[in-house]
Amino acid sequence: METAALQLKNLTKTFGSVVANDNVSLDIYRGEILSLLGENGSGKTTLMNMLSGIYYPDGGQIFVNGKEVRIGSPKDAFDLGIGMIHQHFKLVDVLTAAENMVLGIKEKGRLNIKAVGEKIRKINEQYGFNVDPDKKIYDMSVSEKQTVEIVKMLYRGADVLILDEPTAVLTPQETRKLFAVLKNMRDNGKTVVIITHKLHEVMELSDRVAVLRKGVHVGDFKTSETNPQELTNLMVGHSVTLNISREKYENPVKRLDIRNLSCVNEDGVKVLDDINFDVYAGEVLGIAGISGCGQKELLEGIAGLQKVSGSIKFYPPDGSTEQELVGKSPLEIIKCGIALSFVPEDRLGMGLIGNMDLADNMLLRSYQKGKSVFADRKSSANLAAKVVDELEVVTPGIDTPVRQLSGGNVQKILVGREIASEPAVLMSAYAVRGLDINTSYTIYNLMNEQKMRGAAVIYVGEDLDVLVELCDRILVLCGGKVSGIVDGRGATKEEVGLLMTSLGQKKEANEE
């Protein structure tokens, strides 16, 4: 029987009273692509962080090629041929790709950057990459940066590559290109482990899939012998319905009229350029685009958090006179009686305060509504308890500081708080980023409930399959411009992906 490239035996890792991994045993073989699945807080990333030297296990053993090893640092992992590519890239922007490859490596003699470039080109030819050794990181797209990270690991001799959510910010075209490269690496004897929440990618890419639930390894299967429904049920522990309800709202009413909207950022770059579109009550309007194409600035501009020019007219649900939002601060927007909710992309930077507990973070939304000088802490505590219960937030209690929660549970708290305010316009940026599939579908259905309640929902998403299934219309941004508005019911993800990378193709949906 073939010796596994990696063997994990009874690995355990705890953080205080929380058991992140509980006696996990798993074999990972050469020349395979293994998908690692599990709900938020199931211990996937913690397990891989022990392999890559970020964490040290509290118990258990790790074997590489049949020999027990001790991995106490990322350097130990590199020396054993293990490399991990994190969601947030570890690159120095002002350096070239070649300089990033050798950063931190001790070699004899003087650095020969020409020889480094030649080695990169050989890796390009072997696996199908297209990395320019002399290109600066700040001049690269997201997919180019990710490719540099992968080539960097191969340059340093990695035989096992671990990728955390590798397609999170890629277009379908870029995803297919990445998959082709990963399959080439597998065929050349490399071992690839991907952590992902996208089941369709698991089925398309991986040879085998391992499932974690609440820190316990509950099984691994050949991908060809399982299906998305079975995997989801195994992750959650009970049957789950994988279906996004998209009912049609009768008689949608215009809620926002956006004309000639432009935005120049602090660096003097025009990130939004003459944007025009309408938003209707009773619809989910999807916003698609490659990361950095103006999605964040668009939502922040509507919410009063970003200085913009042009016009944003808000038509109140009570039928009163429309109001201009441009030039108003977020507080002025609230005082005008305009109900806007904003779930920002940066959860702890803008959405929540890490050192405050769950109840006090709920209070951030409602403290100004109090009728006395004292804040109504009872209501915020009740809301926190409701969100924890309905969205199944993993937390010791509502008095736990938010910074102690996992990223997915932080997102649940933020989304739950915003939806609870029942806004006239609900804006959401990457609401399900980092969330497991069960919670993601809960969020999708909550947004549809808001739509059917009569709210106008603006959803910025990165999973095109979800955008096509969830949204009534999809507005596509490319380079700060609107490259097209398509009907969500008739669009394909390939069509949206092309619009994300090309201003030349436009398809306007018929607006009633």
Side-chain angles (χ1 to χ4, degrees):
M1 184 176 177
E2 181 188 1
T3 301
L6 287 171
Q7 291 175 290
L8 317 181
K9 292 190 177 180
N10 303 313
L11 278 192
T12 298
K13 182 65 182 177
T14 60
F15 298 94
S17 61
V18 177
V19 181
N21 291 125
D22 187 4
N23 288 300
V24 175
S25 296
L26 177 66
D27 291 347
I28 305 172
Y29 294 93
R30 295 182 194 86
E32 78 165 355
I33 298 175
L34 174 74
S35 291
L36 196 58
L37 287 177
E39 289 191 284
N40 296 119
S42 62
K44 306 182 301 296
T45 301
T46 299
L47 187 66
M48 292 299 103
N49 278 339
M50 286 191 280
L51 284 181
S52 62
I54 304 297
Y55 295 145
Y56 191 75
D58 297 327
Q61 301 167 288
I62 299 173
F63 294 82
V64 176
N65 297 322
K67 180 181 178 181
E68 185 174 359
V69 298
R70 178 189 180 279
I71 304 177
S73 69
K75 183 181 182 303
D76 291 342
F78 279 135
D79 291 343
L80 292 165
I82 303 170
M84 184 167 179
I85 294 123
H86 300 269
Q87 288 189 59
H88 303 289
F89 306 137
K90 313 297 182 184
L91 300 170
V92 180
D93 281 356
V94 296
L95 300 182
T96 65
E99 290 165 341
N100 270 277
M101 300 284 172
V102 297
L103 194 62
I105 298 178
K106 291 184 179 180
E107 295 183 347
K108 293 181 180 180
R110 297 180 63 181
L111 174 64
N112 185 343
I113 202 69
K114 185 176 180 181
V116 174
E118 194 57 40
K119 186 174 179 180
I120 292 171
R121 290 184 182 91
K122 288 181 179 179
I123 294 173
N124 283 344
E125 292 173 7
Q126 184 175 0
Y127 297 105
F129 294 110
N130 187 27
V131 172
D132 181 353
D134 302 318
K135 191 172 183 179
K136 298 281 189 182
I137 300 300
Y138 59 69
D139 285 330
M140 294 185 180
S141 67
V142 174
S143 62
E144 286 178 305
K145 291 177 184 178
Q146 184 182 65
T147 304
V148 170
E149 283 280 28
I150 296 172
V151 173
K152 183 174 74 173
M153 296 303 169
L154 294 172
Y155 182 94
R156 298 179 181 208
D159 291 314
V160 178
L161 281 95
I162 303 165
L163 295 93
D164 194 0
E165 299 286 352
T167 65
V169 290
L170 302 184
T171 67
Q173 290 81 3
E174 291 168 335
T175 296
R176 281 197 292 270
K177 186 176 179 182
L178 172 65
F179 284 3
V181 168
L182 294 180
K183 288 175 181 176
N184 281 341
M185 291 168 59
R186 174 198 62 194
D187 295 342
N188 276 272
K190 300 294 184 183
T191 301
V192 179
V193 181
I194 62 166
I195 302 171
T196 179
H197 290 102
K198 301 177 181 180
L199 285 173
H200 63 280
E201 293 183 355
V202 172
M203 302 308 296
E204 179 182 347
L205 177 65
S206 63
D207 303 297
R208 202 159 54 92
V209 55
V211 182
L212 296 181
R213 184 169 72 236
K214 296 181 179 178
V216 177
H217 176 219
V218 294
D220 54 89
F221 315 88
K222 288 184 178 179
T223 308
S224 59
E225 297 175 358
T226 187
N227 58 70
Q229 186 66 61
E230 181 183 13
L231 292 173
T232 303
N233 295 348
L234 199 61
M235 281 193 294
V236 178
H238 56 80
S239 182
V240 176
T241 301
L242 298 180
N243 181 45
I244 300 177
S245 172
R246 180 167 54 185
E247 299 178 64
K248 191 171 181 63
Y249 185 83
E250 297 299 328
N251 303 317
V253 178
K254 186 185 291 188
R255 190 65 71 225
L256 291 175
D257 184 306
I258 297 171
R259 292 291 174 266
N260 310 118
L261 195 71
S262 296
C263 177
V264 178
N265 66 15
E266 295 177 353
D267 298 324
V269 178
K270 201 169 192 177
V271 288
L272 290 176
D273 188 2
D274 199 29
I275 300 294
N276 295 278
F277 66 98
D278 299 324
V279 183
Y280 291 87
E283 80 162 355
V284 178
L285 176 67
I287 308 291
I290 297 170
S291 180
C293 280
Q295 305 96 312
K296 178 174 177 284
E297 290 80 7
L298 176 59
L299 266 61
E300 289 182 356
I302 297 172
L305 298 169
Q306 184 79 243
K307 187 177 180 180
V308 294
S309 61
S311 173
I312 305 173
K313 284 189 170 62
F314 172 77
Y315 296 85
D318 61 8
S320 56
T321 306
E322 71 270 14
Q323 301 181 51
E324 177 60 58
L325 302 192
V326 172
K328 286 185 170 63
S329 69
L331 186 57
E332 288 172 329
I333 289 173
I334 293 171
K335 287 181 178 178
C336 286
I338 300 170
L340 288 175
S341 279
F342 180 52
V343 180
E345 183 177 358
D346 185 356
R347 303 163 186 170
L348 291 179
M350 290 178 61
L352 301 169
I353 297 177
N355 288 329
M356 289 170 53
D357 63 27
L358 275 62
D360 284 349
N361 269 287
M362 296 296 164
L363 196 59
L364 291 174
R365 163 61 70 176
S366 60
Y367 73 94
Q368 292 175 325
K369 297 178 181 178
K371 297 179 181 179
S372 74
V373 295
F374 299 104
D376 182 5
R377 300 179 66 87
K378 184 176 180 180
S379 295
S380 64
N382 290 338
L383 176 57
K386 181 181 178 183
V387 171
V388 166
D389 179 57
E390 291 184 356
L391 297 185
E392 299 179 352
V393 177
V394 179
T395 175
I398 63 171
D399 57 350
T400 302
V402 166
R403 60 179 167 77
Q404 293 182 9
L405 305 182
S406 70
N409 286 302
V410 168
Q411 188 74 330
K412 291 179 187 180
I413 293 294
L414 180 56
V415 173
R417 184 192 70 187
E418 297 302 306
I419 288 177
S421 66
E422 295 191 343
V425 179
L426 172 65
M427 297 189 294
S428 162
Y430 309 110
V432 299
R433 176 178 283 174
L435 296 185
D436 56 74
I437 190 152
N438 185 37
T439 308
S440 296
Y441 275 80
T442 300
I443 298 297
Y444 302 146
N445 290 326
L446 282 172
M447 290 188 174
N448 266 310
E449 287 176 13
Q450 293 297 301
K451 176 185 88 171
M452 297 309 293
R453 180 182 62 79
V457 180
I458 303 176
Y459 176 82
V460 177
E462 55 202 3
D463 189 330
L464 296 188
D465 289 283
V466 170
L467 280 168
V468 169
E469 191 176 349
L470 172 69
C471 302
D472 299 286
R473 290 186 302 142
I474 302 170
L475 181 147
V476 187
L477 291 175
C478 180
K481 293 178 178 288
V482 175
S483 60
I485 301 175
V486 299
D487 187 335
R489 288 175 170 80
T492 64
K493 66 177 183 178
E494 287 75 19
E495 178 186 7
V496 176
L498 284 172
L499 287 170
M500 288 167 63
T501 55
S502 171
L503 287 170
Q505 301 184 42
K506 293 189 178 182
K507 179 184 177 183
E508 299 293 335
N510 293 326
E511 297 186 14
E512 297 181 2

Short mmCIF file of all heavy atoms in Angstrom, two decimals, residues 353-378:
data_model
loop_
_atom_site.label_atom_id
_atom_site.label_comp_id
_atom_site.label_asym_id
_atom_site.label_seq_id
_atom_site.Cartn_x
_atom_site.Cartn_y
_atom_site.Cartn_z
N ILE A 353 -16.96 46.45 16.64
CA ILE A 353 -15.83 46.82 17.49
C ILE A 353 -15.38 45.57 18.22
O ILE A 353 -16.11 44.99 19.02
CB ILE A 353 -16.21 47.93 18.48
CG1 ILE A 353 -16.61 49.19 17.70
CG2 ILE A 353 -15.05 48.23 19.43
CD1 ILE A 353 -17.08 50.34 18.58
N GLY A 354 -14.17 45.13 17.93
CA GLY A 354 -13.68 43.84 18.39
C GLY A 354 -13.65 43.67 19.90
O GLY A 354 -13.89 42.57 20.41
N ASN A 355 -13.34 44.73 20.63
CA ASN A 355 -13.22 44.61 22.09
C ASN A 355 -14.56 44.68 22.81
O ASN A 355 -14.62 44.46 24.02
CB ASN A 355 -12.29 45.70 22.64
CG ASN A 355 -10.84 45.44 22.30
OD1 ASN A 355 -10.43 44.29 22.17
ND2 ASN A 355 -10.06 46.49 22.13
N MET A 356 -15.63 45.00 22.09
CA MET A 356 -16.96 45.04 22.70
C MET A 356 -17.66 43.70 22.53
O MET A 356 -17.39 42.97 21.57
CB MET A 356 -17.80 46.17 22.07
CG MET A 356 -17.33 47.55 22.49
SD MET A 356 -18.09 48.92 21.55
CE MET A 356 -19.82 48.57 21.75
N ASP A 357 -18.56 43.38 23.47
CA ASP A 357 -19.24 42.09 23.38
C ASP A 357 -20.38 42.15 22.36
O ASP A 357 -20.64 43.20 21.75
CB ASP A 357 -19.74 41.63 24.75
CG ASP A 357 -20.78 42.57 25.36
OD1 ASP A 357 -21.49 43.26 24.61
OD2 ASP A 357 -20.90 42.60 26.61
N LEU A 358 -21.07 41.02 22.19
CA LEU A 358 -22.10 40.91 21.16
C LEU A 358 -23.25 41.89 21.42
O LEU A 358 -23.72 42.57 20.49
CB LEU A 358 -22.65 39.49 21.11
CG LEU A 358 -21.88 38.46 20.27
CD1 LEU A 358 -20.48 38.25 20.79
CD2 LEU A 358 -22.63 37.13 20.23
N ALA A 359 -23.68 41.98 22.67
CA ALA A 359 -24.82 42.85 23.00
C ALA A 359 -24.49 44.31 22.73
O ALA A 359 -25.30 45.06 22.16
CB ALA A 359 -25.21 42.66 24.46
N ASP A 360 -23.29 44.76 23.11
CA ASP A 360 -22.91 46.15 22.89
C ASP A 360 -22.74 46.47 21.42
O ASP A 360 -22.98 47.59 20.97
CB ASP A 360 -21.63 46.49 23.66
CG ASP A 360 -21.88 46.66 25.15
OD1 ASP A 360 -23.05 46.74 25.54
OD2 ASP A 360 -20.91 46.71 25.93
N ASN A 361 -22.31 45.50 20.62
CA ASN A 361 -22.22 45.72 19.18
C ASN A 361 -23.61 45.86 18.55
O ASN A 361 -23.77 46.58 17.57
CB ASN A 361 -21.43 44.58 18.51
CG ASN A 361 -19.94 44.87 18.43
OD1 ASN A 361 -19.50 45.69 17.63
ND2 ASN A 361 -19.17 44.22 19.29
N MET A 362 -24.60 45.19 19.09
CA MET A 362 -25.97 45.40 18.65
C MET A 362 -26.43 46.82 18.99
O MET A 362 -27.16 47.46 18.24
CB MET A 362 -26.92 44.40 19.32
CG MET A 362 -26.66 42.96 18.96
SD MET A 362 -26.94 42.66 17.19
CE MET A 362 -26.10 41.08 17.00
N LEU A 363 -25.96 47.33 20.12
CA LEU A 363 -26.34 48.66 20.59
C LEU A 363 -25.83 49.77 19.68
O LEU A 363 -26.40 50.86 19.62
CB LEU A 363 -25.81 48.86 22.01
CG LEU A 363 -26.37 49.99 22.86
CD1 LEU A 363 -27.87 49.84 23.05
CD2 LEU A 363 -25.67 50.03 24.22
N LEU A 364 -24.76 49.49 18.92
CA LEU A 364 -24.20 50.50 18.02
C LEU A 364 -25.23 50.97 17.00
O LEU A 364 -25.19 52.11 16.53
CB LEU A 364 -22.98 49.93 17.28
CG LEU A 364 -21.73 49.66 18.12
CD1 LEU A 364 -20.67 48.96 17.27
CD2 LEU A 364 -21.18 50.95 18.70
N ARG A 365 -26.15 50.09 16.63
CA ARG A 365 -27.16 50.41 15.64
C ARG A 365 -28.33 51.18 16.25
O ARG A 365 -28.97 51.99 15.58
CB ARG A 365 -27.64 49.11 14.98
CG ARG A 365 -28.95 49.18 14.22
CD ARG A 365 -28.92 50.12 13.06
NE ARG A 365 -28.11 49.68 11.97
CZ ARG A 365 -28.02 50.34 10.83
NH1 ARG A 365 -28.66 51.48 10.65
NH2 ARG A 365 -27.24 49.91 9.87
N SER A 366 -28.61 51.00 17.56
CA SER A 366 -29.88 51.49 18.11
C SER A 366 -29.76 52.47 19.27
O SER A 366 -30.78 52.96 19.75
CB SER A 366 -30.72 50.28 18.58
OG SER A 366 -30.02 49.56 19.58
N TYR A 367 -28.52 52.78 19.71
CA TYR A 367 -28.40 53.57 20.94
C TYR A 367 -29.03 54.96 20.83
O TYR A 367 -29.49 55.53 21.82
CB TYR A 367 -26.94 53.68 21.37
CG TYR A 367 -26.10 54.61 20.52
CD1 TYR A 367 -25.92 55.95 20.88
CD2 TYR A 367 -25.47 54.16 19.36
CE1 TYR A 367 -25.14 56.80 20.12
CE2 TYR A 367 -24.71 54.99 18.59
CZ TYR A 367 -24.54 56.31 18.97
OH TYR A 367 -23.78 57.16 18.20
N GLN A 368 -29.08 55.52 19.60
CA GLN A 368 -29.63 56.87 19.43
C GLN A 368 -31.15 56.90 19.51
O GLN A 368 -31.75 57.97 19.59
CB GLN A 368 -29.17 57.45 18.09
CG GLN A 368 -27.67 57.74 18.06
CD GLN A 368 -27.22 58.19 16.69
OE1 GLN A 368 -27.74 57.73 15.68
NE2 GLN A 368 -26.28 59.11 16.65
N LYS A 369 -31.78 55.72 19.50
CA LYS A 369 -33.23 55.68 19.55
C LYS A 369 -33.77 55.71 20.98
O LYS A 369 -34.98 55.74 21.19
CB LYS A 369 -33.74 54.40 18.86
CG LYS A 369 -33.39 54.33 17.38
CD LYS A 369 -33.87 53.02 16.77
CE LYS A 369 -33.49 52.94 15.29
NZ LYS A 369 -33.91 51.65 14.69
N GLY A 370 -32.88 55.67 21.98
CA GLY A 370 -33.31 55.65 23.37
C GLY A 370 -34.05 56.92 23.76
O GLY A 370 -33.82 58.00 23.23
N LYS A 371 -34.96 56.76 24.74
CA LYS A 371 -35.77 57.89 25.19
C LYS A 371 -35.22 58.53 26.46
O LYS A 371 -35.81 59.45 27.02
CB LYS A 371 -37.21 57.42 25.44
CG LYS A 371 -37.88 56.91 24.15
CD LYS A 371 -39.30 56.44 24.41
CE LYS A 371 -39.93 55.93 23.13
NZ LYS A 371 -41.32 55.42 23.35
N SER A 372 -34.09 58.04 26.94
CA SER A 372 -33.46 58.63 28.12
C SER A 372 -31.97 58.72 27.89
O SER A 372 -31.46 58.33 26.85
CB SER A 372 -33.75 57.78 29.36
OG SER A 372 -32.98 56.58 29.33
N VAL A 373 -31.26 59.25 28.90
CA VAL A 373 -29.80 59.40 28.77
C VAL A 373 -29.11 58.05 28.90
O VAL A 373 -27.92 57.93 28.62
CB VAL A 373 -29.25 60.37 29.83
CG1 VAL A 373 -29.77 61.76 29.59
CG2 VAL A 373 -29.58 59.88 31.24
N PHE A 374 -29.84 57.03 29.33
CA PHE A 374 -29.25 55.70 29.49
C PHE A 374 -29.58 54.82 28.28
O PHE A 374 -30.71 54.84 27.78
CB PHE A 374 -29.79 55.03 30.77
CG PHE A 374 -29.45 55.80 32.02
CD1 PHE A 374 -30.42 56.55 32.67
CD2 PHE A 374 -28.16 55.78 32.53
CE1 PHE A 374 -30.11 57.26 33.81
CE2 PHE A 374 -27.84 56.49 33.67
CZ PHE A 374 -28.82 57.24 34.32
N ALA A 375 -28.59 54.06 27.84
CA ALA A 375 -28.79 53.15 26.70
C ALA A 375 -29.66 51.97 27.12
O ALA A 375 -29.59 51.49 28.25
CB ALA A 375 -27.44 52.65 26.19
N ASP A 376 -30.49 51.52 26.19
CA ASP A 376 -31.38 50.38 26.44
C ASP A 376 -30.60 49.09 26.17
O ASP A 376 -30.66 48.52 25.08
CB ASP A 376 -32.61 50.47 25.55
CG ASP A 376 -33.60 49.34 25.80
OD1 ASP A 376 -33.36 48.55 26.74
OD2 ASP A 376 -34.59 49.24 25.05
N ARG A 377 -29.90 48.62 27.20
CA ARG A 377 -29.05 47.44 27.03
C ARG A 377 -29.86 46.15 26.98
O ARG A 377 -29.42 45.15 26.40
CB ARG A 377 -28.01 47.37 28.16
CG ARG A 377 -27.09 48.59 28.23
CD ARG A 377 -26.12 48.47 29.39
NE ARG A 377 -25.20 47.36 29.17
CZ ARG A 377 -24.06 47.45 28.49
NH1 ARG A 377 -23.71 48.61 27.96
NH2 ARG A 377 -23.28 46.41 28.35
N LYS A 378 -31.06 46.18 27.56
CA LYS A 378 -31.87 44.96 27.58
C LYS A 378 -32.30 44.57 26.17
O LYS A 378 -32.23 43.40 25.77
CB LYS A 378 -33.10 45.16 28.46
CG LYS A 378 -33.94 43.90 28.62
CD LYS A 378 -35.11 44.12 29.58
CE LYS A 378 -35.94 42.84 29.73
NZ LYS A 378 -37.08 43.05 30.67
#
